[in-house]
Every structure is written in structure tokens, then in C-alpha cells.
Amino acid sequence: MLLVTSRESKRWVIPKGNPMGKVQPHVAAALEAEEEAGVRGAVCPLPLGSYRYRKRRKTGASLMLDVDVYPLSVDEELADWKEASERTRRWFTLADAADAVEEEDLAHLIRSFNAAEFNSATRRQSLLSAALEKSKVGPMFAWFQKLLPATGNFFELFEAHAESVCAASQALSRLFNDGSARADHIREISEREHDADNIIRETLGTVRRTFLTPFDRGSITSLISAMDDAIDEMQAAANAVDLYGFTEFEPEMRDMVGIIVDSGRLLAEALPLLRDVGGNAGRLHELTERLVRMEGHADELHRAGLKVAFQRFGSDPAGAMRFTVRREIYKHLERIVDAFEDVANEIDSIVIDHA
């Protein structure tokens, strides 16, 4: 997590600012991040939560302010930015960031942002290296496994697939927010989708070969299939952008991509927690509940984006193709978020059955 120092007291804070008139709050938050920390990326339009702190005004008054916190996935760190001479920026682990800030509620938000820390999921690694990572299965179950036939490496496969989904969502964000290197972003999405296809084939084969599975076989195949639907639709969206040479990405599209990036982050945290469903049931429910809420917000963005596009081009016969292209891209973005909701439902089903 990136923190910056405040201009006067030099304590560690997150970039923030006052509302900007008609500018949407999450857009304003992203602008503040660029001005104060020199970073750009996809911002999720749904806040993680809020906290309160007391700010001293130049008048001498000390007023309580409420701050909504939006997650922003950093794609670019600028070498120079508006407040570079007034602030220091630094990357922290989540635990260190929570200790560095003074506001207790903000520290709690930081700690809850990603309790499982998905750093390993965001690193590009081979399926083999993912499978060789140390198992976190509980000691009693690990002992029991030794007495039975092979149980399969399902948790490693889930997490490796989540790695591909996360990486593809970040590449999709760069495609929709960065005017350069379009071909590279599209190619990366395709490569990540290919990696995911290899993982799902190995998963389905392992289901057939394995005597003892951690969950019902139907739950395993449904979960990995829902995850695969998400990355398949990412590739479909990228292919549509490439096919039509589309460059006029609208705010609603970028907001939906911001939701997709944050959904990938939540997925990367949730999958390792399935190693101990009973112990992690509460956190899993929190994560799936947020995924479902974000899907509802994405539906609103989808409708709003189509309405704006129809108002611009629907009444003009010459603009019919431009509207059709936008409708197709919105369709794929909506299907990506729908697939994440399906993943959330599958995880909830596993929690109900096994917690």
C-alpha cells in the first residue's frame, strides 16, 4: 500500500481532498492520488469504507471530517508530480501501513483491506511454482491426508487461476486507461486467458483422478468454471476493442473496469481462505458480500452507460454502428462482473456446506 506524508506535520496519510463539485467522488479520489502521490490506475467506484479524523483549519478551528476510501490499483508511478516537492511517498506492507497512520479507523480499514495478503497471487509465476508453495492446510487434515489416496492440489490450482484472473484484470485496466501500448495489453490478456485454460484443464483432470477432494466435486468444477468465465469475458472485451479499433472509453466503462480490478483483488484474497473454511467463514462472507454489492453497482453503470450512448447516437442512423460497438463492449464488461458474482455464490455455497 502506498502512503504519502502530509504537507505540514509530515505524518503518514493517504491521498485525499475535498469534494470537487460535480466530479464523482471516486474520480476526485483518483485525481487527488495523482496530485499528491503521483500515481495513476484503475479506481473502484465503490468505497471500501470510511473513517473520521479531526483536521485543523487555517482559522484555528479543529473540525471532524468524514473520509470515504476508494481502492486504486496503481499502474503508473510518475517521476514528477504536482506535490512532489511537498510530500514523500513510500510503499508499505499492509501491517506496516496500519501502524504508520495515526487514525485508528483508517488503520482498521487498512488491516481489513486484504487480510490474506495476495502478493503471491499478483506475482507472475508458473503453475509449477504455485503448486510448490507451502501448503496452509490445517495440521489435523494434513495428517489425515497421509493415510488416504492422493487428494489433489486443488487449492494451488484455485490460487494459480486467481493469479491469471488478477493479472488479466490489471491488463484490462491498462487497456481502458492507457492510450499507448494497446497491442501489448491485448496480447497479455490473451496470454493470461491461455494460462487459465491450462489450469482449468488440469483441475478437471485432477477431479477425475482424485479419490478424496476437499469439497464436493460439483463445487470444485463450478467454482473454477465461474472463475474461467470471468477471464474468458476479459479476453472477449479486449478482442472487441481490438476488432473495432475502439479508443473512446467512457467514464462508465472505466468505472466498470475499476470494479473488475477490485473484484480480482477480492478473489485473490478469498481463494487461499478456502484452505480453512470453518476458521475463515466470517471473512469469506465479507468478501463475497462485497462482490455481490459491486455487481449491483456495475449493473447501474451498465444501464447509465448505454443510456448515454443511445442519447448520443441512437437517433442518428449514421451513429447506429457506434452505439452497437459500445453496447457490445458494455455487454462483455457486465458479463465479467456477473462471473465474479457467480464465483461469490459458489464460495458461499462451499461455506454453507463445510463451515
Side-chain angles (χ1 to χ4, degrees):
M1 181 173 185
L2 188 69
L3 298 180
V4 297
T5 54
S6 62
R7 283 186 290 191
E8 296 178 2
S9 66
K10 300 304 179 182
R11 61 191 179 86
W12 290 108
V13 297
I14 59 174
K16 58 184 178 298
N18 294 318
M20 300 179 181
K22 295 183 179 180
V23 178
Q24 292 178 296
H26 68 286
V27 177
L31 293 173
E32 294 289 351
E34 182 172 344
E35 289 183 3
E36 297 186 6
V39 293
R40 296 172 179 159
V43 60
C44 179
L46 212 62
L48 283 170
S50 62
Y51 71 97
R52 309 190 83 186
Y53 82 109
R54 192 170 293 279
K55 182 178 179 65
R56 182 171 295 279
R57 300 289 194 184
K58 293 180 179 179
T59 61
S62 183
L63 304 178
M64 191 68 74
L65 299 180
D66 293 303
V67 183
D68 287 331
V69 181
Y70 295 87
L72 184 143
S73 176
V74 175
D75 290 328
E76 180 182 5
E77 292 184 57
L78 304 177
D80 188 32
W81 65 98
K82 183 177 180 180
E83 298 185 10
S85 62
E86 302 175 87
R87 301 179 187 271
T88 300
R89 68 183 180 190
R90 183 187 301 171
W91 287 96
F92 291 80
T93 65
L94 291 175
D96 289 342
D99 291 338
V101 299
E102 293 183 1
E103 298 86 355
E104 184 178 347
D105 289 344
L106 175 58
H108 177 72
L109 261 183
I110 293 172
R111 291 190 182 96
S112 66
F113 178 67
N114 188 353
E117 292 207 37
F118 71 107
N119 293 334
S120 62
T122 57
R123 292 197 306 267
R124 185 161 189 172
Q125 57 184 168
S126 67
L127 179 59
L128 177 60
S129 63
L132 291 175
E133 286 188 2
K134 184 178 179 181
S135 173
K136 298 177 184 177
V137 178
M140 179 60 72
F141 187 64
W143 171 82
F144 186 57
Q145 280 182 302
K146 296 178 182 179
L147 304 181
L148 296 169
T151 58
N153 57 334
F154 293 106
F155 296 118
E156 289 84 356
L157 291 168
F158 289 155
E159 291 162 29
H161 197 290
E163 172 198 347
S164 297
V165 172
C166 269
S169 69
Q170 291 161 0
L172 189 71
S173 169
R174 292 190 289 273
L175 174 61
F176 275 65
N177 288 279
D178 182 7
S180 62
R182 288 164 51 88
D184 289 344
H185 303 324
I186 293 170
R187 177 180 174 180
E188 180 177 1
I189 293 169
S190 179
E191 290 175 352
R192 298 294 188 175
E193 192 276 336
H194 181 70
D195 292 343
D197 279 348
N198 290 334
I199 294 167
I200 193 170
R201 279 195 291 271
E202 180 167 348
T203 302
L204 297 178
T206 304
V207 167
R208 292 193 297 270
R209 296 191 303 268
T210 301
F211 175 79
L212 179 67
T213 58
F215 313 122
D216 178 79
R217 296 171 191 274
S219 297
I220 292 173
T221 56
S222 296
L223 175 58
I224 199 77
S225 295
M227 293 166 59
D228 205 56
D229 288 343
I231 198 168
D232 285 347
E233 287 297 335
M234 291 181 201
Q235 184 180 33
N239 288 344
V241 169
D242 186 36
L243 174 64
Y244 300 115
F246 190 76
T247 58
E248 300 174 0
F249 300 108
E250 292 154 356
E252 292 83 3
M253 291 181 181
R254 290 193 172 101
D255 286 350
M256 291 183 75
V257 172
I259 286 176
I260 289 166
V261 171
D262 202 43
S263 296
R265 175 189 68 82
L266 295 174
L267 177 64
E269 179 182 354
L271 269 297
L273 300 182
L274 291 177
R275 294 175 180 269
D276 179 10
V277 177
N280 297 317
R283 181 59 177 166
L284 284 166
H285 177 70
E286 292 174 0
L287 297 173
T288 57
E289 191 270 340
R290 179 168 172 82
L291 282 169
V292 171
R293 282 196 294 117
M294 289 198 296
E295 191 277 336
H297 193 70
D299 282 346
E300 295 174 5
L301 290 169
H302 180 214
R303 288 191 294 269
L306 284 180
K307 184 175 182 179
V308 170
F310 185 77
Q311 289 172 343
R312 287 180 62 191
F313 308 113
S315 59
D316 180 8
M321 180 56 69
R322 301 179 72 180
F323 172 75
T324 301
V325 170
R326 284 163 173 76
R327 183 174 61 182
E328 180 173 352
I329 292 173
Y330 274 119
K331 175 189 70 177
H332 292 304
L333 295 179
E334 182 190 31
R335 287 179 176 176
I336 297 169
V337 185
D338 286 346
F340 278 118
E341 184 187 29
D342 291 340
V343 173
N345 291 336
E346 293 298 334
I347 292 174
D348 277 339
S349 177
I350 290 172
V351 172
I352 292 171
D353 289 343
H354 296 273

mmCIF file of all heavy atoms in Angstrom, residues 79 152 203 205 227 237 308 313 351:
data_model
loop_
_atom_site.group_PDB
_atom_site.id
_atom_site.type_symbol
_atom_site.label_atom_id
_atom_site.label_comp_id
_atom_site.label_asym_id
_atom_site.label_seq_id
_atom_site.Cartn_x
_atom_site.Cartn_y
_atom_site.Cartn_z
ATOM 1 N N ALA A 79 7.411 10.123 -12.301
ATOM 2 C CA ALA A 79 8.693 10.576 -11.766
ATOM 3 C C ALA A 79 8.569 11.966 -11.164
ATOM 4 O O ALA A 79 9.293 12.326 -10.232
ATOM 5 C CB ALA A 79 9.750 10.559 -12.868
ATOM 6 N N GLY A 152 -5.185 -34.445 -4.457
ATOM 7 C CA GLY A 152 -5.139 -33.423 -5.490
ATOM 8 C C GLY A 152 -4.648 -32.085 -4.955
ATOM 9 O O GLY A 152 -4.762 -31.794 -3.776
ATOM 10 N N THR A 203 -7.294 -28.886 -13.601
ATOM 11 C CA THR A 203 -8.236 -29.034 -12.487
ATOM 12 C C THR A 203 -9.272 -30.110 -12.789
ATOM 13 O O THR A 203 -9.549 -30.979 -11.952
ATOM 14 C CB THR A 203 -8.946 -27.698 -12.201
ATOM 15 O OG1 THR A 203 -7.970 -26.694 -11.917
ATOM 16 C CG2 THR A 203 -9.893 -27.830 -11.012
ATOM 17 N N GLY A 205 -9.057 -32.534 -14.907
ATOM 18 C CA GLY A 205 -8.412 -33.836 -14.929
ATOM 19 C C GLY A 205 -8.120 -34.361 -13.528
ATOM 20 O O GLY A 205 -8.272 -35.553 -13.251
ATOM 21 N N MET A 227 -14.756 -18.858 -12.363
ATOM 22 C CA MET A 227 -13.546 -18.053 -12.478
ATOM 23 C C MET A 227 -13.093 -17.965 -13.932
ATOM 24 O O MET A 227 -12.673 -16.899 -14.410
ATOM 25 C CB MET A 227 -12.441 -18.656 -11.608
ATOM 26 C CG MET A 227 -12.713 -18.571 -10.111
ATOM 27 S SD MET A 227 -11.619 -19.643 -9.133
ATOM 28 C CE MET A 227 -10.011 -19.003 -9.575
ATOM 29 N N ALA A 237 -13.792 -8.925 -24.270
ATOM 30 C CA ALA A 237 -13.825 -7.459 -24.256
ATOM 31 C C ALA A 237 -12.609 -6.893 -24.981
ATOM 32 O O ALA A 237 -12.723 -5.951 -25.776
ATOM 33 C CB ALA A 237 -13.876 -6.954 -22.815
ATOM 34 N N VAL A 308 -26.497 6.867 -22.010
ATOM 35 C CA VAL A 308 -25.722 7.982 -22.554
ATOM 36 C C VAL A 308 -25.366 7.717 -24.011
ATOM 37 O O VAL A 308 -25.481 8.609 -24.865
ATOM 38 C CB VAL A 308 -24.441 8.204 -21.714
ATOM 39 C CG1 VAL A 308 -23.513 9.187 -22.411
ATOM 40 C CG2 VAL A 308 -24.790 8.708 -20.327
ATOM 41 N N PHE A 313 -26.071 8.633 -29.930
ATOM 42 C CA PHE A 313 -26.016 8.051 -31.273
ATOM 43 C C PHE A 313 -27.304 7.375 -31.730
ATOM 44 O O PHE A 313 -27.457 7.090 -32.913
ATOM 45 C CB PHE A 313 -24.882 7.008 -31.329
ATOM 46 C CG PHE A 313 -23.563 7.510 -30.854
ATOM 47 C CD1 PHE A 313 -22.993 7.016 -29.693
ATOM 48 C CD2 PHE A 313 -22.881 8.496 -31.559
ATOM 49 C CE1 PHE A 313 -21.770 7.473 -29.247
ATOM 50 C CE2 PHE A 313 -21.650 8.968 -31.118
ATOM 51 C CZ PHE A 313 -21.096 8.455 -29.949
ATOM 52 N N VAL A 351 -19.052 -22.489 1.787
ATOM 53 C CA VAL A 351 -19.056 -22.109 3.200
ATOM 54 C C VAL A 351 -20.266 -22.715 3.910
ATOM 55 O O VAL A 351 -20.149 -23.260 5.013
ATOM 56 C CB VAL A 351 -19.051 -20.575 3.352
ATOM 57 C CG1 VAL A 351 -19.255 -20.184 4.813
ATOM 58 C CG2 VAL A 351 -17.737 -20.001 2.846
#
